[in-house]
Amino acid sequence: MIKAKDFFTKEQQDKIVAAVKEAESNTSGEIRVFIEDNCSGDVLDRAAFIFKELEIHKTKERNGVLFYLAISHRKFAILGDVGINIKVKKDFWDEIKHEMIRHFKAQDFTTGLSKGIIMAGNALKTHFPHQLDDVNELPDEIVFGK
């Protein structure tokens, strides 16, 4: 069984990180990607735990987003912080999720994740436009769990 850290090639990881950088160039929102092998419980509970562990909730405008993937269990979640969720419609993340699923079903995980990240950045710029004095509050690199 392939491990999360080996699931994406170096080139694919670079493409995902480039998508994070591009998305963040459109918004003051912050995007993190966390990939691990397993998630035996509820995916949203696990994503919420990781969200806190990565301190995504500590952004100035509470506008952080986590893209969480559990490779072996084929689960994923998109979790936005309270600053986003009080400003957007209830189904805000659904279009992004469906686009990602379409690519995941075709086994194109890099494109699915990258497109989801870009879509999130574009959607967030309405409520959190990029500012000239914007500071990158969170690292852009992918975090791999166990």
Side-chain angles (χ1 to χ4, degrees), residues 24-81:
E24 289 183 355
S25 73
N26 293 319
T27 179
S28 63
E30 294 288 331
I31 297 172
R32 298 296 322 258
V33 177
F34 185 91
I35 303 169
E36 65 183 341
D37 299 336
N38 302 304
C39 174
S40 56
D42 181 79
V43 69
L44 288 176
D45 288 345
R46 180 66 179 155
F49 175 81
I50 296 299
F51 194 96
K52 187 173 181 186
E53 285 287 303
L54 296 178
E55 300 185 337
I56 298 170
H57 62 290
K58 292 189 175 180
T59 60
K60 185 174 131 188
E61 296 186 71
R62 297 292 304 265
N63 59 354
V65 178
L66 172 65
F67 283 81
Y68 170 87
L69 280 78
I71 301 302
S72 295
H73 286 129
R74 297 190 172 275
K75 295 180 180 180
F76 81 99
I78 308 168
L79 201 60
D81 205 347

Side-chain angles (χ1 to χ4, degrees), residues 61 81-89 92 126-129:
E61 296 186 71
D81 205 347
V82 67
I84 297 168
N85 293 330
I86 62 173
K87 292 186 176 192
V88 299
K89 299 181 300 184
F92 180 75
T126 302
H127 301 287
F128 302 97

